[in-house]
Amino acid sequence: MSFQFTILIPLIPLISFLIIGFLYSKMSNKLAGIWGSVSIFSSFLLSLFTAYRYFFEVGRVNGVYPKILGFDFEWLRFSDSLSAHLGTLIDPISVMMLVVVTTVSLMVHIYSIGYMKGDRGFNRFFAFLSLFSFSMLGLVLSTNIFEIYIFWELVGVSSYLLIGFYYEKNSAVAASKKAFIVTRFADLFFLIGILILSFYTKTFDFISLTDPSNIAVMQTGSITFMGLSVTTWALLLIFIGGAGKSAMFPLHIWLPDAMEGPSPVSALIHAATMVVAGVFLVARLFPIYALGSDQALQVIGYVGAFTSLFAAVIAMTQMDFKRVLAFSTISQIGYMMVGLGVSGYGNEAGLGYMASMFHLFTHAMFKALLFLCAGSVIHVVHTNFINEMGGLRKHMKITHITFLIATLAIAGFPGFSGFFSKDEIITAAYHNNKIIFYTELLVAGITAFYMFRLYFRVFWNQEASYEHKPHEVEKTMTIPLIILAFLSIAVGYIPFGNFISSDSMPLESHINWGVASASIIVSFTGIIIAWVLYKKPSNLPERIVSSIKVLYTWAYHKFYIDEVYLFVTKKIIFNLISRPIAWFDRHVVDGAMNGIAWTTSWVSESIKGLQSGQLQKYALAFVSSTIILSALLIYILLNV
Amino acid sequence: MGKPIRITLKQANDMMGGLALQDFLVVSTSMFFIGIFGFLTRRNLITILMSVELILNSVNINFVAFNYFLHPEAMHGIFFAIFVIAVAAAEAAVAIAIIINIYRRFKSINIENVSEMKY
């Protein structure tokens, strides 16, 4: 069964990007919007077709889903045994990611036609969206770690371009630079990790990298450094790259600022697809993590758990609609990392892996929906701050209902998709690590609280005084909301373990009712507290805040992590390292160069008088020196 | 055209009238330095060109004299002198063309006026 056509899935958006980009000023907005949407729609159909063919027509071979090279092209040949390929790798997680990316991207494209209407940069926006779709689809289809690195940087660039979309705004420019620099900084470690890993395994290829028999070979032959094996080091470095892109503590600082971009961008890039690239990367290399290095996996688990708690606490205090969602995204990605961190390889132990991928899938749907709803609300009320909103349920019925569905899904309300996936992560943590289990249970409660705080504050509570009377947004914007709301409920009922598991064997997952009831109770508590505090206007929240003033201030200022970064970069790196280097560069390096130039010009200035232009002076010099030289020569010859 | 005058080696030897190589060298050296002197001191481009011719001709004398006195059986020196004459003719043509252009441009053939190529 051929999968050659899969190369078209990323290429169609690329072509769309080139066409919209080159015909930028010639194309009408409507045409650009439709063109972008149609091309992503064809990628979407191809992805569905791929999924159908892969899971149902090819199916299992010897009980596992095979890894298929849909398309393979040798691009750079370093030696007989090492070469970099470009191509498409078809396996369960790449097919799942194809579906996720194209679905969300399609919804965001359609939504953006309405959302960006009348914007000066409409065509630019669609060109960048297509570029991003191309990069992200290339990333998920990568056959080797070299190719994934290329697309990894490409999604970084498109994210940079889209965060800084409103480039007249200083804050947007600063945010885009911050996002690019922070993720690029993390990618440095990723690159070192790639180099170490491929140096010891002599391959870039995912299929041979993740082959369990190869991993054993790598283990026995590797040396140790600072008490950890080389494999662990390589995997940790690669994880740092993933943590940068997935906004794990302490590299999360760029994601809240990335909300400066238009809301559809936040939905597509900074909620559903690009930010889960780190999770995808770890999942892609999961057999190496699971079989090669327990320490690395533990680090991932703890980092994920800490990040999810940390971000959830901050999310409770934020007043900016999109920032709450941004911290919620960080927290949910923390969940996915936890799922991977507590997972083992194969059978029941691999529950965490399956749960993590499942959560990635469901989270993409409901988080994209939340951001699109946020976009609609901000579009209508022209403010980001939730204390300037309220009572919107009467004016925006569709947005209200879809937002409620997404909120129930993320809060883990039974029956909604988030409940199933989150519950499996918590169950996996329960079997593996009790500390992480209790943390995640607590975070589930906090998540329910801050999401319903948002919901009640925006859609209930006291109606704020709006400049214009709020109204429901247009059809191109509400249709994606409705589709995503439907998906936010429906995807939870997919028997996910049948399709994706750590070793591709079918994994029956049952709801562990003990754990599930604990998490349900916790979520309900969160929802009820939010109900009491925010459904009607009251001074209760202020009183609670004033009773825990210090804690609140710290959380409100995001635990001053940004300030720590600024201190480290501005005070320590700039003053102690950059300034001396700049001084050395300006005075010693430049000074040497300027000195050479000055000496040259001084010498030529002083001897230029010789070039008098008088022919006879030259001739005199020539004749006299010839005479002197001949005399010398004769003298020497006579005295030999 | 009259009958060509044929001169045998013997007759030529007689015509030299007992002159020695040194005599030729004295003449050519004097001519050479007269040429150099003229080249360095004259200001008129035509005169300078004439000085150059003087230098070339002094060289020709040397060629012929050395050929005659040191290798009477060979003809290389004589041929060389003929080459030099041919080259000198070509050079004179080029030089005069240049001088005419200089005159058109500067309305003078004084070499001191032609110093455009200085620093």
Short mmCIF file of all heavy atoms in Angstrom, two decimals, chain A residues 341-396:
data_model
loop_
_atom_site.label_atom_id
_atom_site.label_comp_id
_atom_site.label_asym_id
_atom_site.label_seq_id
_atom_site.Cartn_x
_atom_site.Cartn_y
_atom_site.Cartn_z
N GLY A 341 6.44 11.00 31.21
CA GLY A 341 7.43 10.76 32.26
C GLY A 341 7.09 9.56 33.12
O GLY A 341 8.00 8.89 33.61
N VAL A 342 5.80 9.28 33.33
CA VAL A 342 5.45 8.16 34.21
C VAL A 342 5.21 6.88 33.43
O VAL A 342 4.82 5.87 34.00
CB VAL A 342 4.20 8.48 35.06
CG1 VAL A 342 4.45 9.66 35.96
CG2 VAL A 342 2.99 8.71 34.17
N SER A 343 5.46 6.95 32.12
CA SER A 343 5.15 5.78 31.31
C SER A 343 6.35 4.84 31.21
O SER A 343 7.50 5.24 31.34
CB SER A 343 4.74 6.23 29.91
OG SER A 343 4.53 5.11 29.11
N GLY A 344 6.04 3.58 30.99
CA GLY A 344 7.07 2.61 30.67
C GLY A 344 6.92 2.20 29.23
O GLY A 344 6.14 2.81 28.48
N TYR A 345 7.64 1.17 28.83
CA TYR A 345 7.54 0.74 27.44
C TYR A 345 6.78 -0.58 27.37
O TYR A 345 7.13 -1.54 28.03
CB TYR A 345 8.94 0.57 26.84
CG TYR A 345 8.92 0.27 25.36
CD1 TYR A 345 8.64 1.27 24.44
CD2 TYR A 345 9.16 -1.01 24.89
CE1 TYR A 345 8.61 1.02 23.10
CE2 TYR A 345 9.13 -1.28 23.53
CZ TYR A 345 8.85 -0.27 22.65
OH TYR A 345 8.81 -0.51 21.31
N GLY A 346 5.73 -0.58 26.58
CA GLY A 346 5.03 -1.84 26.32
C GLY A 346 3.91 -2.14 27.30
O GLY A 346 3.95 -1.76 28.47
N ASN A 347 2.89 -2.78 26.79
CA ASN A 347 1.77 -3.28 27.58
C ASN A 347 1.13 -2.24 28.48
O ASN A 347 0.97 -1.10 28.12
CB ASN A 347 2.19 -4.51 28.43
CG ASN A 347 2.77 -5.58 27.54
OD1 ASN A 347 2.41 -5.67 26.36
ND2 ASN A 347 3.69 -6.34 28.08
N GLU A 348 0.77 -2.70 29.69
CA GLU A 348 0.07 -1.84 30.63
C GLU A 348 0.95 -0.70 31.09
O GLU A 348 0.47 0.40 31.38
CB GLU A 348 -0.39 -2.66 31.84
CG GLU A 348 -1.46 -3.69 31.52
CD GLU A 348 -2.74 -3.05 31.02
OE1 GLU A 348 -3.23 -2.11 31.66
OE2 GLU A 348 -3.23 -3.51 29.96
N ALA A 349 2.27 -0.94 31.17
CA ALA A 349 3.18 0.11 31.64
C ALA A 349 3.17 1.30 30.70
O ALA A 349 3.49 2.42 31.09
CB ALA A 349 4.60 -0.45 31.76
N GLY A 350 2.82 1.05 29.45
CA GLY A 350 2.82 2.13 28.47
C GLY A 350 1.58 2.99 28.49
O GLY A 350 1.36 3.77 27.56
N LEU A 351 0.78 2.87 29.55
CA LEU A 351 -0.46 3.64 29.63
C LEU A 351 -0.21 5.14 29.54
O LEU A 351 -0.92 5.86 28.85
CB LEU A 351 -1.20 3.30 30.93
CG LEU A 351 -2.47 4.11 31.20
CD1 LEU A 351 -3.54 3.75 30.19
CD2 LEU A 351 -2.97 3.87 32.62
N GLY A 352 0.85 5.59 30.22
CA GLY A 352 1.14 7.02 30.26
C GLY A 352 1.39 7.57 28.87
O GLY A 352 0.92 8.66 28.53
N TYR A 353 2.11 6.81 28.07
CA TYR A 353 2.41 7.25 26.70
C TYR A 353 1.11 7.45 25.92
O TYR A 353 0.90 8.49 25.30
CB TYR A 353 3.29 6.20 26.04
CG TYR A 353 3.61 6.45 24.59
CD1 TYR A 353 4.70 7.23 24.23
CD2 TYR A 353 2.84 5.90 23.58
CE1 TYR A 353 5.01 7.46 22.91
CE2 TYR A 353 3.13 6.13 22.25
CZ TYR A 353 4.22 6.90 21.92
OH TYR A 353 4.50 7.12 20.61
N MET A 354 0.26 6.42 26.01
CA MET A 354 -1.01 6.50 25.29
C MET A 354 -1.82 7.69 25.81
O MET A 354 -2.36 8.48 25.03
CB MET A 354 -1.76 5.18 25.49
CG MET A 354 -3.05 5.04 24.72
SD MET A 354 -4.41 5.91 25.46
CE MET A 354 -5.09 4.64 26.51
N ALA A 355 -1.85 7.84 27.16
CA ALA A 355 -2.64 8.91 27.75
C ALA A 355 -2.12 10.27 27.32
O ALA A 355 -2.90 11.19 27.03
CB ALA A 355 -2.59 8.79 29.27
N SER A 356 -0.79 10.38 27.25
CA SER A 356 -0.19 11.65 26.87
C SER A 356 -0.60 12.04 25.46
O SER A 356 -1.00 13.18 25.19
CB SER A 356 1.32 11.53 26.99
OG SER A 356 1.93 12.64 26.44
N MET A 357 -0.52 11.06 24.54
CA MET A 357 -0.90 11.33 23.16
C MET A 357 -2.40 11.65 23.06
O MET A 357 -2.83 12.52 22.31
CB MET A 357 -0.58 10.13 22.27
CG MET A 357 0.89 9.89 22.07
SD MET A 357 1.69 11.23 21.19
CE MET A 357 2.53 12.03 22.50
N PHE A 358 -3.17 10.92 23.88
CA PHE A 358 -4.61 11.14 23.90
C PHE A 358 -4.91 12.56 24.37
O PHE A 358 -5.73 13.28 23.79
CB PHE A 358 -5.25 10.10 24.84
CG PHE A 358 -6.74 9.98 24.73
CD1 PHE A 358 -7.44 10.52 23.67
CD2 PHE A 358 -7.46 9.29 25.71
CE1 PHE A 358 -8.81 10.40 23.58
CE2 PHE A 358 -8.83 9.16 25.63
CZ PHE A 358 -9.51 9.73 24.56
N HIS A 359 -4.20 12.97 25.42
CA HIS A 359 -4.43 14.31 25.96
C HIS A 359 -4.00 15.37 24.96
O HIS A 359 -4.67 16.40 24.81
CB HIS A 359 -3.69 14.49 27.28
CG HIS A 359 -4.20 15.64 28.08
ND1 HIS A 359 -5.51 15.78 28.44
CD2 HIS A 359 -3.58 16.74 28.56
CE1 HIS A 359 -5.67 16.90 29.12
NE2 HIS A 359 -4.52 17.51 29.20
N LEU A 360 -2.90 15.09 24.25
CA LEU A 360 -2.46 16.00 23.20
C LEU A 360 -3.59 16.20 22.18
O LEU A 360 -3.90 17.31 21.77
CB LEU A 360 -1.22 15.42 22.52
CG LEU A 360 -0.39 16.28 21.59
CD1 LEU A 360 0.97 15.64 21.41
CD2 LEU A 360 -1.02 16.47 20.24
N PHE A 361 -4.19 15.09 21.83
CA PHE A 361 -5.25 15.10 20.82
C PHE A 361 -6.48 15.88 21.29
O PHE A 361 -6.94 16.81 20.62
CB PHE A 361 -5.63 13.63 20.53
CG PHE A 361 -6.52 13.44 19.34
CD1 PHE A 361 -6.05 13.68 18.07
CD2 PHE A 361 -7.81 12.98 19.51
CE1 PHE A 361 -6.87 13.49 16.97
CE2 PHE A 361 -8.64 12.78 18.42
CZ PHE A 361 -8.16 13.03 17.15
N THR A 362 -6.96 15.55 22.49
CA THR A 362 -8.17 16.22 22.98
C THR A 362 -7.87 17.68 23.31
O THR A 362 -8.67 18.56 23.01
CB THR A 362 -8.72 15.51 24.22
OG1 THR A 362 -7.70 15.48 25.21
CG2 THR A 362 -9.16 14.11 23.93
N HIS A 363 -6.69 17.91 23.90
CA HIS A 363 -6.33 19.27 24.28
C HIS A 363 -6.30 20.18 23.06
O HIS A 363 -6.74 21.33 23.11
CB HIS A 363 -4.97 19.27 24.99
CG HIS A 363 -4.44 20.63 25.26
ND1 HIS A 363 -3.47 21.22 24.48
CD2 HIS A 363 -4.75 21.54 26.22
CE1 HIS A 363 -3.21 22.42 24.96
NE2 HIS A 363 -3.96 22.64 26.00
N ALA A 364 -5.77 19.65 21.93
CA ALA A 364 -5.71 20.46 20.71
C ALA A 364 -7.09 20.96 20.35
O ALA A 364 -7.28 22.12 19.99
CB ALA A 364 -5.11 19.65 19.58
N MET A 365 -8.08 20.08 20.47
CA MET A 365 -9.44 20.47 20.09
C MET A 365 -10.01 21.51 21.03
O MET A 365 -10.45 22.57 20.62
CB MET A 365 -10.36 19.24 20.06
CG MET A 365 -9.90 18.14 19.15
SD MET A 365 -9.74 18.69 17.45
CE MET A 365 -8.76 17.40 16.74
N PHE A 366 -10.01 21.21 22.34
CA PHE A 366 -10.71 22.15 23.22
C PHE A 366 -9.91 23.42 23.48
O PHE A 366 -10.50 24.48 23.67
CB PHE A 366 -11.22 21.49 24.51
CG PHE A 366 -10.21 20.83 25.41
CD1 PHE A 366 -9.29 21.57 26.10
CD2 PHE A 366 -10.24 19.44 25.61
CE1 PHE A 366 -8.40 20.95 26.96
CE2 PHE A 366 -9.35 18.83 26.48
CZ PHE A 366 -8.42 19.59 27.14
N LYS A 367 -8.57 23.33 23.42
CA LYS A 367 -7.82 24.56 23.65
C LYS A 367 -7.91 25.49 22.44
O LYS A 367 -8.03 26.71 22.58
CB LYS A 367 -6.36 24.24 24.02
CG LYS A 367 -5.54 25.43 24.45
CD LYS A 367 -6.16 26.29 25.51
CE LYS A 367 -6.27 25.68 26.87
NZ LYS A 367 -5.02 25.33 27.52
N ALA A 368 -7.91 24.90 21.24
CA ALA A 368 -8.12 25.73 20.05
C ALA A 368 -9.48 26.40 20.14
O ALA A 368 -9.62 27.60 19.85
CB ALA A 368 -8.02 24.88 18.79
N LEU A 369 -10.47 25.65 20.58
CA LEU A 369 -11.82 26.21 20.73
C LEU A 369 -11.83 27.35 21.74
O LEU A 369 -12.41 28.42 21.50
CB LEU A 369 -12.78 25.10 21.15
CG LEU A 369 -14.20 25.52 21.48
CD1 LEU A 369 -14.81 26.28 20.33
CD2 LEU A 369 -15.05 24.30 21.78
N LEU A 370 -11.13 27.14 22.88
CA LEU A 370 -11.10 28.20 23.90
C LEU A 370 -10.49 29.47 23.33
O LEU A 370 -11.00 30.57 23.56
CB LEU A 370 -10.29 27.73 25.11
CG LEU A 370 -10.96 26.71 26.03
CD1 LEU A 370 -9.97 26.21 27.05
CD2 LEU A 370 -12.15 27.34 26.72
N PHE A 371 -9.39 29.31 22.59
CA PHE A 371 -8.74 30.50 22.06
C PHE A 371 -9.60 31.18 21.00
O PHE A 371 -9.63 32.41 20.91
CB PHE A 371 -7.37 30.16 21.48
CG PHE A 371 -6.28 30.29 22.48
CD1 PHE A 371 -5.65 29.18 23.00
CD2 PHE A 371 -5.88 31.53 22.91
CE1 PHE A 371 -4.64 29.30 23.93
CE2 PHE A 371 -4.88 31.67 23.84
CZ PHE A 371 -4.26 30.55 24.36
N LEU A 372 -10.28 30.38 20.18
CA LEU A 372 -11.13 30.99 19.17
C LEU A 372 -12.29 31.73 19.83
O LEU A 372 -12.68 32.82 19.40
CB LEU A 372 -11.64 29.93 18.18
CG LEU A 372 -10.54 29.31 17.31
CD1 LEU A 372 -11.16 28.37 16.28
CD2 LEU A 372 -9.71 30.34 16.60
N CYS A 373 -12.85 31.15 20.91
CA CYS A 373 -13.90 31.85 21.66
C CYS A 373 -13.34 33.14 22.23
O CYS A 373 -13.98 34.20 22.16
CB CYS A 373 -14.42 30.99 22.80
SG CYS A 373 -15.41 29.62 22.22
N ALA A 374 -12.13 33.05 22.81
CA ALA A 374 -11.50 34.25 23.36
C ALA A 374 -11.35 35.30 22.26
O ALA A 374 -11.61 36.49 22.48
CB ALA A 374 -10.13 33.90 23.94
N GLY A 375 -10.95 34.82 21.05
CA GLY A 375 -10.82 35.74 19.93
C GLY A 375 -12.14 36.42 19.62
O GLY A 375 -12.19 37.64 19.43
N SER A 376 -13.23 35.65 19.61
CA SER A 376 -14.54 36.23 19.32
C SER A 376 -14.91 37.28 20.35
O SER A 376 -15.37 38.38 20.01
CB SER A 376 -15.62 35.14 19.32
OG SER A 376 -15.35 34.19 18.35
N VAL A 377 -14.69 36.92 21.64
CA VAL A 377 -15.07 37.85 22.70
C VAL A 377 -14.26 39.14 22.58
O VAL A 377 -14.81 40.25 22.61
CB VAL A 377 -14.86 37.19 24.09
CG1 VAL A 377 -15.00 38.22 25.19
CG2 VAL A 377 -15.85 36.06 24.27
N ILE A 378 -12.93 38.98 22.38
CA ILE A 378 -12.08 40.17 22.30
C ILE A 378 -12.43 40.99 21.07
O ILE A 378 -12.43 42.22 21.09
CB ILE A 378 -10.60 39.73 22.30
CG1 ILE A 378 -10.25 39.15 23.67
CG2 ILE A 378 -9.68 40.89 21.98
CD1 ILE A 378 -8.95 38.40 23.69
N HIS A 379 -12.78 40.28 20.00
CA HIS A 379 -13.19 40.92 18.75
C HIS A 379 -14.40 41.81 18.99
O HIS A 379 -14.52 42.89 18.41
CB HIS A 379 -13.56 39.80 17.76
CG HIS A 379 -13.71 40.25 16.35
ND1 HIS A 379 -12.65 40.75 15.62
CD2 HIS A 379 -14.77 40.26 15.52
CE1 HIS A 379 -13.07 41.06 14.41
NE2 HIS A 379 -14.34 40.77 14.33
N VAL A 380 -15.28 41.36 19.88
CA VAL A 380 -16.53 42.08 20.09
C VAL A 380 -16.39 43.18 21.14
O VAL A 380 -16.86 44.30 20.95
CB VAL A 380 -17.65 41.09 20.48
CG1 VAL A 380 -18.86 41.83 20.99
CG2 VAL A 380 -18.00 40.23 19.30
N VAL A 381 -15.71 42.89 22.25
CA VAL A 381 -15.69 43.87 23.33
C VAL A 381 -14.43 44.74 23.33
O VAL A 381 -14.32 45.66 24.11
CB VAL A 381 -15.86 43.23 24.73
CG1 VAL A 381 -17.15 42.44 24.78
CG2 VAL A 381 -14.69 42.34 25.06
N HIS A 382 -13.47 44.45 22.44
CA HIS A 382 -12.27 45.28 22.28
C HIS A 382 -11.47 45.45 23.56
O HIS A 382 -10.94 46.53 23.82
CB HIS A 382 -12.63 46.66 21.74
CG HIS A 382 -13.35 46.59 20.44
ND1 HIS A 382 -12.74 46.17 19.28
CD2 HIS A 382 -14.63 46.85 20.11
CE1 HIS A 382 -13.61 46.19 18.31
NE2 HIS A 382 -14.78 46.58 18.77
N THR A 383 -11.41 44.43 24.37
CA THR A 383 -10.50 44.50 25.51
C THR A 383 -10.07 43.08 25.84
O THR A 383 -10.76 42.12 25.51
CB THR A 383 -11.17 45.13 26.74
OG1 THR A 383 -10.26 45.02 27.84
CG2 THR A 383 -12.48 44.47 27.11
N ASN A 384 -8.89 42.99 26.45
CA ASN A 384 -8.39 41.67 26.84
C ASN A 384 -8.68 41.36 28.30
O ASN A 384 -8.49 40.24 28.74
CB ASN A 384 -6.88 41.60 26.64
CG ASN A 384 -6.53 41.22 25.22
OD1 ASN A 384 -7.40 41.16 24.37
ND2 ASN A 384 -5.27 40.96 24.98
N PHE A 385 -9.12 42.37 29.05
CA PHE A 385 -9.16 42.19 30.50
C PHE A 385 -10.52 41.70 30.95
O PHE A 385 -11.55 42.28 30.61
CB PHE A 385 -8.77 43.48 31.20
CG PHE A 385 -7.33 43.80 30.98
CD1 PHE A 385 -6.96 44.66 29.98
CD2 PHE A 385 -6.36 43.15 31.72
CE1 PHE A 385 -5.62 44.91 29.74
CE2 PHE A 385 -5.02 43.40 31.49
CZ PHE A 385 -4.65 44.27 30.49
N ILE A 386 -10.50 40.62 31.75
CA ILE A 386 -11.76 39.99 32.10
C ILE A 386 -12.56 40.83 33.07
O ILE A 386 -13.77 40.68 33.15
CB ILE A 386 -11.56 38.56 32.65
CG1 ILE A 386 -10.62 38.55 33.83
CG2 ILE A 386 -11.10 37.63 31.57
CD1 ILE A 386 -10.54 37.21 34.51
N ASN A 387 -11.91 41.77 33.79
CA ASN A 387 -12.72 42.60 34.69
C ASN A 387 -13.46 43.70 33.92
O ASN A 387 -14.25 44.42 34.49
CB ASN A 387 -11.86 43.20 35.81
CG ASN A 387 -10.61 43.82 35.27
OD1 ASN A 387 -10.39 43.84 34.06
ND2 ASN A 387 -9.78 44.35 36.15
N GLU A 388 -13.19 43.81 32.61
CA GLU A 388 -13.98 44.74 31.80
C GLU A 388 -15.04 44.00 31.00
O GLU A 388 -15.65 44.53 30.09
CB GLU A 388 -13.06 45.53 30.85
CG GLU A 388 -12.13 46.46 31.61
CD GLU A 388 -11.01 46.99 30.73
OE1 GLU A 388 -11.18 46.98 29.50
OE2 GLU A 388 -9.98 47.39 31.29
N MET A 389 -15.21 42.70 31.30
CA MET A 389 -16.23 41.91 30.61
C MET A 389 -17.27 41.48 31.65
O MET A 389 -17.16 41.79 32.83
CB MET A 389 -15.63 40.67 29.98
CG MET A 389 -14.52 40.97 28.98
SD MET A 389 -13.74 39.45 28.47
CE MET A 389 -12.37 40.08 27.52
N GLY A 390 -18.24 40.71 31.19
CA GLY A 390 -19.25 40.21 32.11
C GLY A 390 -20.60 40.18 31.43
O GLY A 390 -20.90 40.99 30.56
N GLY A 391 -21.39 39.16 31.81
CA GLY A 391 -22.75 39.08 31.30
C GLY A 391 -22.88 38.87 29.81
O GLY A 391 -23.92 39.18 29.24
N LEU A 392 -21.84 38.30 29.19
CA LEU A 392 -21.88 38.19 27.73
C LEU A 392 -22.78 37.05 27.25
O LEU A 392 -23.00 36.91 26.05
CB LEU A 392 -20.48 38.00 27.17
CG LEU A 392 -19.61 39.26 27.14
CD1 LEU A 392 -18.19 38.91 26.76
CD2 LEU A 392 -20.18 40.27 26.16
N ARG A 393 -23.29 36.20 28.16
CA ARG A 393 -24.05 35.04 27.70
C ARG A 393 -25.30 35.42 26.93
O ARG A 393 -25.73 34.70 26.04
CB ARG A 393 -24.39 34.12 28.87
CG ARG A 393 -25.45 34.67 29.80
CD ARG A 393 -25.73 33.72 30.95
NE ARG A 393 -26.83 34.23 31.75
CZ ARG A 393 -26.73 35.24 32.59
NH1 ARG A 393 -25.57 35.87 32.74
NH2 ARG A 393 -27.77 35.64 33.28
N LYS A 394 -25.85 36.60 27.27
CA LYS A 394 -27.08 37.00 26.60
C LYS A 394 -26.81 37.48 25.18
O LYS A 394 -27.67 37.37 24.32
CB LYS A 394 -27.75 38.13 27.38
CG LYS A 394 -28.35 37.67 28.70
CD LYS A 394 -28.80 38.88 29.52
CE LYS A 394 -28.40 38.71 30.97
NZ LYS A 394 -28.06 39.96 31.62
N HIS A 395 -25.60 38.02 24.98
CA HIS A 395 -25.32 38.64 23.69
C HIS A 395 -24.67 37.67 22.71
O HIS A 395 -24.83 37.82 21.51
CB HIS A 395 -24.42 39.86 23.88
CG HIS A 395 -24.95 40.82 24.87
ND1 HIS A 395 -26.09 41.55 24.64
CD2 HIS A 395 -24.53 41.15 26.12
CE1 HIS A 395 -26.34 42.30 25.70
NE2 HIS A 395 -25.41 42.08 26.61
N MET A 396 -23.90 36.73 23.22
CA MET A 396 -23.15 35.85 22.34
C MET A 396 -23.50 34.41 22.67
O MET A 396 -22.74 33.72 23.34
CB MET A 396 -21.64 36.09 22.51
CG MET A 396 -21.25 37.54 22.33
SD MET A 396 -19.52 37.81 22.68
CE MET A 396 -18.76 37.10 21.23
#
